[in-house]
Amino acid sequence: MRRIFISLSILFITSLACGGAPTPLPPPETSVFDSGRTAYGFFPSPPEVSIESVFQTFKGISEHGDFVLIQQNTPWEDFAGGVDGESQPRTDLTNQVTLAKQNNISYIFVLDPLNGLNRREFINLPAGWDANFANPNIRTAHKNFALWVVRNFHPRYLGLASEINTYMDAHPEDAQNFISLYNEIYALVKAEAPETQLFVSFQWDDLNNMLPQPEEGARQRLSPNWEQVEAFEPNLDVWVISTYPYFVFPHGSDIPADYYSPLLSRTSKPVAIAESGYSTVTFDQFANTPEDQVAFLNTVHDQLGPRMVFWVNTLLSDFNLDSYAKEMEKQGRKPKDAQDLGNFAYIGLRNFDGTPKPALEVWEFFRNPPP
C-alpha cells in the first residue's frame, strides 16, 4: 500500500533530546497486553508538524487508546557495525518510548526495511549496497536493529517488516531470503526474550488480490494468497494484517460480510491489525463519508472480535495537509508525495482540530464496553 508518514525526528530532537547515549528502559511492570482484551492503538502521527501537536497526539492516544505503534525504517549504517552505539535514530526512538511512558500507554514496534511510498523497494540504503535480502550488510543491520530494540525497550510485540507480501509479489526471487532472515532474527530474539511476540504484517486488501498488481498475473479476487503468510510458519506468533478497504470498496457497507473472517478459520493463533482506516471525506477519487468509517469499524469488530490481540486505526486525528505540505517542501520532497499523503489524510477518528467524528464513539464503545 502506498503511503507516507512524515518522520517525527525533527520534532523529538528539538523537544526531548537530552544528549549522550540513550539509557535502556526497564521492562514495564504491567501491560494492557496482559489484560486478555483487545488493545487499541494509533500511530504517533500528529495532525500538524509542530512540537505541541506531537505532545497533544500522545495525550489524545492516552485518552482514546492503549498503545502507540512505532514504525521505524531500519537505520542501515547505524546498525551495520553492531548492536550498541550512539546515533540520532536511537535517541529518537528512546524519546518516543519516553513520551509513551509519560502518557501511561504501551507501545508496539514495527521495524521496516522498505519504502513506505513503494514497498517494492528498500529505503535509504547506503551507496553500493545491493538491494536484496541476501546482502550480508542488510541482514546484519536489520538483525542488530531488532536486537537493540528488544534489549532497550522489551516490547511485547515486535514486527520485523510491514506489508511484506507486497515486496514478495514484486520480488519472488528474494522472498525466501527475507523469510530466512526473519527466522534468524526470530531465534535470536526468542533466546533473549521468549515473551516477545514476533510477526510481519500482510497487506490484506492486496493479499486478497483486490488491488491492481500486474506482476501477480490473473489471481482470483477475494481468494487470499495464504502461501505468502504460511511461508513464515511456525514462527509467526500472531497473524497481523493492514487494511485500507476504501481503496477497494466505495462505501463501508460494501465490505463483504466475510471479508476478514477467513483469518479466523485459517489459523488458531491470535490475529491483529497493525494499521487500518477508512476515509471520511470526498478527496481525489474517493467519495467517502463519516458513516462509511462507522460501518468499517463495525465490520472489523463483528468479523474478528475477541480474537484480535491489538487493533490500530492508523490516525487518531486527520492531517492538516497544508502543514504537512509545507514541511515536505522544506525537506525537498516531491509535490506528488503530498498528494499521496492526501489519500490517507482523512482516516482519523477526529478531525485535525481535535473534534470527534461519529466513529470515535464506536471505537470507545468497543474499547470500553458497558458492563
Side-chain angles (χ1 to χ4, degrees):
M1 180 67 63
R2 293 174 175 267
R3 71 186 187 282
I4 179 172
F5 298 104
I6 291 290
S7 169
L8 301 183
S9 61
I10 56 169
L11 305 173
F12 290 112
I13 292 168
T14 302
S15 61
L16 295 174
C18 55
T23 302
L25 300 173
E29 295 181 5
T30 60
S31 171
V32 64
F33 303 124
D34 295 320
S35 67
R37 67 170 178 86
T38 302
Y40 292 77
F42 304 92
F43 276 57
S45 304
E48 296 184 323
V49 184
S50 72
I51 295 170
E52 180 60 28
S53 188
V54 171
F55 289 140
Q56 289 302 316
T57 294
F58 274 84
K59 182 177 183 294
I61 292 174
S62 73
E63 295 169 350
H64 301 293
D66 306 302
F67 70 92
V68 60
L69 189 143
I70 301 172
Q71 186 161 306
Q72 175 67 46
N73 287 122
T74 306
W76 302 110
E77 292 180 298
D78 294 320
F79 287 94
V83 176
D84 299 320
E86 297 183 22
S87 64
Q88 195 60 59
R90 288 178 171 92
T91 299
D92 293 342
L93 288 176
T94 299
N95 289 335
Q96 291 188 59
V97 171
T98 299
L99 267 180
K101 287 178 173 290
Q102 289 173 348
N103 285 276
N104 297 312
I105 52 177
S106 297
Y107 47 85
I108 290 173
F109 274 92
V110 174
L111 314 183
D112 194 357
L114 302 175
N115 183 354
L117 277 173
N118 182 358
R119 296 211 173 280
R120 296 173 178 82
E121 63 186 31
F122 289 82
I123 190 168
N124 296 329
L125 284 183
W129 283 31
D130 292 333
N132 59 71
F133 285 107
N135 183 339
N137 291 324
I138 286 177
R139 297 176 75 88
T140 296
H142 200 55
K143 192 182 309 179
N144 287 340
F145 186 29
L147 290 173
W148 181 82
V149 167
V150 168
R151 292 170 185 174
N152 283 271
F153 306 126
H154 320 283
R156 177 65 57 87
Y157 293 99
L158 175 64
L160 299 180
S162 175
E163 302 180 331
I164 191 61
N165 56 304
T166 57
Y167 182 84
M168 296 167 74
D169 290 339
H171 301 282
E173 77 289 348
D174 199 32
Q176 190 56 49
N177 293 323
F178 177 79
I179 294 168
S180 68
L181 175 59
Y182 175 88
N183 289 332
E184 285 181 25
I185 297 174
Y186 185 95
L188 290 171
V189 170
K190 288 294 185 178
E192 294 193 18
E195 71 283 356
T196 298
Q197 303 294 288
L198 288 100
F199 65 89
V200 290
S201 73
F202 299 88
Q203 213 301 310
W204 183 250
D205 312 299
D206 177 60
L207 198 75
N208 277 270
N209 304 299
M210 302 300 290
L211 299 170
Q213 296 278 11
E215 64 269 21
E216 290 187 79
R219 289 189 181 245
Q220 184 178 350
R221 287 165 63 90
L222 293 173
S223 179
N225 304 332
W226 293 121
E227 70 278 5
Q228 292 181 320
V229 183
E230 292 167 346
F232 291 86
E233 289 289 9
N235 291 339
L236 277 182
D237 293 329
V238 189
W239 281 31
V240 182
I241 65 170
S242 69
T243 180
Y244 297 96
Y246 61 96
F247 283 89
V248 179
F249 303 106
H251 301 289
S253 58
D254 296 331
I255 303 173
D258 59 351
Y259 189 55
Y260 299 108
S261 56
L263 274 170
L264 305 185
S265 57
R266 193 72 183 192
T267 181
S268 60
K269 292 183 176 181
V271 301
I273 297 180
E275 54 180 284
S276 66
Y278 207 99
S279 188
T280 59
V281 304
T282 296
F283 180 84
D284 199 13
Q285 74 268 37
F286 306 114
N288 305 128
T289 68
E291 290 71 29
D292 291 322
Q293 187 180 53
V294 168
F296 163 66
L297 293 184
N298 280 314
T299 295
V300 170
H301 185 267
D302 291 347
Q303 293 189 34
L304 297 181
R307 284 278 296 277
M308 280 192 295
V309 289
F310 64 84
W311 180 4
V312 176
N313 192 85
T314 304
L315 298 183
L316 170 59
S317 300
D318 291 348
F319 288 140
N320 180 342
L321 282 180
D322 289 340
S323 175
Y324 271 83
K326 289 177 182 177
E327 181 59 36
M328 294 166 79
E329 184 178 0
K330 289 179 185 177
Q331 293 186 5
R333 305 297 291 257
K334 300 175 182 177
K336 188 177 183 302
D337 289 350
Q339 295 174 3
D340 288 344
L341 182 65
N343 292 330
F344 299 89
Y346 305 105
I347 61 175
L349 303 182
R350 307 190 305 191
N351 299 299
F352 76 79
D353 62 2
T355 56
K357 301 179 185 179
L360 183 61
E361 182 177 356
V362 176
W363 177 267
E364 286 294 347
F365 181 83
F366 295 155
R367 181 170 170 253
N368 295 300

